[in-house]
Amino acid sequence: MTGDQCRSATGAVTPDEHGRRVAAMFGRIAGWYDFLNHTLSAGQDIYWRYRLARAARPHPGETVLDLAAGTMDVSVELARQYPDCRVAALDFALPMLERGTARKLKDGLEKRIFPVQADGRALPLADASMGAATIAFGIRNILPREDAYREFHRVLKPGARLCILEFGTGSRRVWKGLYNFYLDTLLPFIGDRISGDPGAYRYLAETIKTFPDERALARELLDAGFARVYHVPMMSGIVYLHVAEKPGRE
């Protein structure tokens, strides 16, 4: 894959076109996004995001980057777990941020969580300015991923953690193939009937099926310059928490 071409489940032929199509797609389903996340995961996504935030471990007073923040569930959890920290909530899809701002940034959170529309391949943040970074179910939407890794590495302080929450590869049979049936058939059907966007959840299923496995993702992070890389499986490997550290701090 060259810098001008990509293999996108949206049918886009360049990373820029892919980004625009993904942002538009998530913008169309913003109103149903939280409901479908909770419903399709049987509420497990709340626990997954708790584990993601818990792994970030910023120091008091630091700012945490939450990339692909969407409607800011992770941002709110970060603010809850680290009351002395601020959160930069960045996402390419403005309607998602607007939805989260209207529904969740209340009771003082609006003074600690700062939503900004931004491209994960070119973050509007200073070098070595973030005390931690998270991304939940968003790294597979950024092409090429190496550009996002480079930006994470640039904006993190030495010793700070990058924490990725992502589905495991859907090419591996889980629960005797029941999960694969769910991805191929049930997920697109339910997503279509509820959100009214037949392409969005077909795209989701396709990106999960083609996503690298946990070892390949760990290698990508090591190749991007991160250290102390490890992963934790949840729900028999349907979901993984990946943790990496920018070298430098004792």
Side-chain angles (χ1 to χ4, degrees), residues 90-162:
L90 275 57
D91 199 288
F92 207 21
L94 184 58
M96 296 281 280
L97 293 174
E98 291 174 335
R99 177 79 173 180
T101 297
R103 295 173 63 89
K104 299 169 187 176
L105 297 196
K106 304 173 182 178
D107 301 322
L109 287 177
E110 69 278 4
K111 298 178 181 179
R112 298 178 51 217
I113 298 175
F114 305 96
V116 177
Q117 184 181 25
D119 187 339
R121 301 168 302 159
L123 299 173
L125 299 169
D127 294 357
S129 59
M130 297 289 108
T134 62
I135 180 167
F137 306 115
I139 193 66
R140 71 180 185 280
N141 295 321
I142 302 175
L143 295 178
R145 285 187 297 277
E146 293 77 9
D147 288 357
Y149 298 148
R150 183 192 64 243
E151 282 295 271
F152 278 128
H153 197 278
R154 178 182 68 80
V155 304
L156 283 171
K157 295 179 179 180
R161 283 183 161 192
L162 166 61

Side-chain angles (χ1 to χ4, degrees), residues 146-179:
E146 293 77 9
D147 288 357
Y149 298 148
R150 183 192 64 243
E151 282 295 271
F152 278 128
H153 197 278
R154 178 182 68 80
V155 304
L156 283 171
K157 295 179 179 180
R161 283 183 161 192
L162 166 61
C163 302
I164 299 172
L165 185 65
E166 193 52 83
F167 292 106
T169 177
S171 62
R172 180 184 300 155
R173 285 174 61 84
V174 178
W175 294 347
K176 297 182 178 180
L178 180 62
Y179 176 61

